[in-house]
Amino acid sequence: MAKVLVIYESDYGNTKKAAEAVVEGVNSVNGATATLKVAEEVTAEDMLSHDAYIMGSPVHMGCMDWRLKQFIDKVCSKLWMGDKLVGRVGGVFTTGSGFGSAGGGCEITMLSMYNNFAELGLILVPLPKCTPGYKDGGLQWGPYARSASPTMEQTGTSKESLEVVKNHGANIARVALATKGKELFCR
Ligand SMILES: Cc1cc2nc3c(=O)[nH]c(=O)nc-3n(C[C@H](O)[C@H](O)[C@H](O)COP(=O)(O)O)c2cc1C
């Protein structure tokens, strides 16, 4: 069984909805199971008892939510010091209003989370453009579910944009299953 921890923060429910779509995708894969938690509640023991991590953030001023960075610095840094998570699996997703209609910082938000996951030695799972639903919210780093219309009306994330989010969860679960228990990296 591959255990996937979905870690997120959400003030208005959009990222929570996307996180629930990720969970649905993970649970659709035979042999995989998802746990959903806000970053403030994730402990080092949670990290050690899971095989893969999918982290989702609302875009805040072009960055990840501060509570996710706090989790990285407070919980993950000790695991990083001891190389405890090397060879496990990671992926990211975001939601944002898209200020400026150009993604509003979603790409750099995903890249900064990706960078933290690379520091931990995780196998990073991208989002290939052939993934069903990619046209409605896909970026190569992960899915981006826009929660506002082009005129910035707060519409919430659409059903269409959540399809690729769900498929990203399934992809990561399959990679976690394929790599679980294997010593892939030199130490
Ligand atoms: C403090 C703050 C800063 C934000 N900055 C951005 C931004 O830089 N770019 C963007 O596209 N959306 C920005 N947004 C909009 C949120 O990313 C968007 O509404 C998101 O879907 C909210 O997720 P949530 O419902 O999970 O809290 C910001 C929202 C807040 C509250």
Side-chain angles (χ1 to χ4, degrees):
M1 177 67 71
K3 292 178 70 187
V4 181
L5 182 57
V6 181
I7 305 159
Y8 74 100
E9 285 294 345
S10 180
D11 290 316
Y12 304 103
N14 296 306
T15 316
K16 181 168 192 273
K17 209 163 142 195
E20 287 164 354
V22 171
V23 166
E24 199 184 328
V26 169
N27 289 337
S28 73
V29 174
N30 243 342
T33 182
T35 310
L36 180 64
K37 277 200 163 191
V38 290
E40 287 170 301
E41 289 173 4
V42 177
T43 63
E45 291 67 38
D46 288 327
M47 296 300 284
L48 290 168
S49 63
H50 286 78
D51 308 297
Y53 319 98
I54 312 178
M55 191 154 87
S57 179
V59 179
H60 280 178
M61 304 281 291
C63 296
M64 77 174 91
D65 182 296
W66 67 271
R67 292 162 294 191
L68 288 159
K69 186 64 170 70
Q70 175 179 258
F71 154 73
I72 293 287
D73 290 358
K74 286 199 164 169
V75 176
C76 296
S77 61
K78 292 187 191 85
L79 300 164
W80 166 74
M81 289 292 284
D83 295 317
K84 299 288 187 200
L85 305 181
V86 172
R88 300 189 196 202
V89 173
V92 299
F93 64 98
T94 55
T95 76
S97 290
F99 287 110
S101 294
C106 62
E107 204 163 355
I108 201 159
T109 298
M110 284 200 269
L111 272 174
S112 60
M113 294 193 289
Y114 230 70
N115 183 36
N116 289 149
F117 276 7
E119 287 278 354
L120 291 168
L122 302 184
I123 298 166
L124 303 173
V125 183
L127 181 64
K129 68 178 176 13
C130 57
T131 311
Y134 190 94
K135 68 176 175 40
D136 294 311
L139 274 173
Q140 67 272 40
W141 314 112
Y144 166 66
R146 189 170 180 182
S147 56
S149 72
T151 54
M152 299 308 293
E153 187 194 345
Q154 297 299 310
T155 52
T157 52
S158 67
K159 189 168 148 274
E160 290 74 25
S161 69
L162 293 178
E163 191 199 349
V164 71
V165 179
K166 182 176 152 197
N167 289 330
H168 191 49
N171 286 345
I172 295 168
R174 280 189 287 268
V175 175
L177 263 176
T179 55
K180 186 182 165 89
K182 301 208 165 76
E183 269 304 329
L184 297 168
F185 290 85
C186 302
R187 283 183 186 255

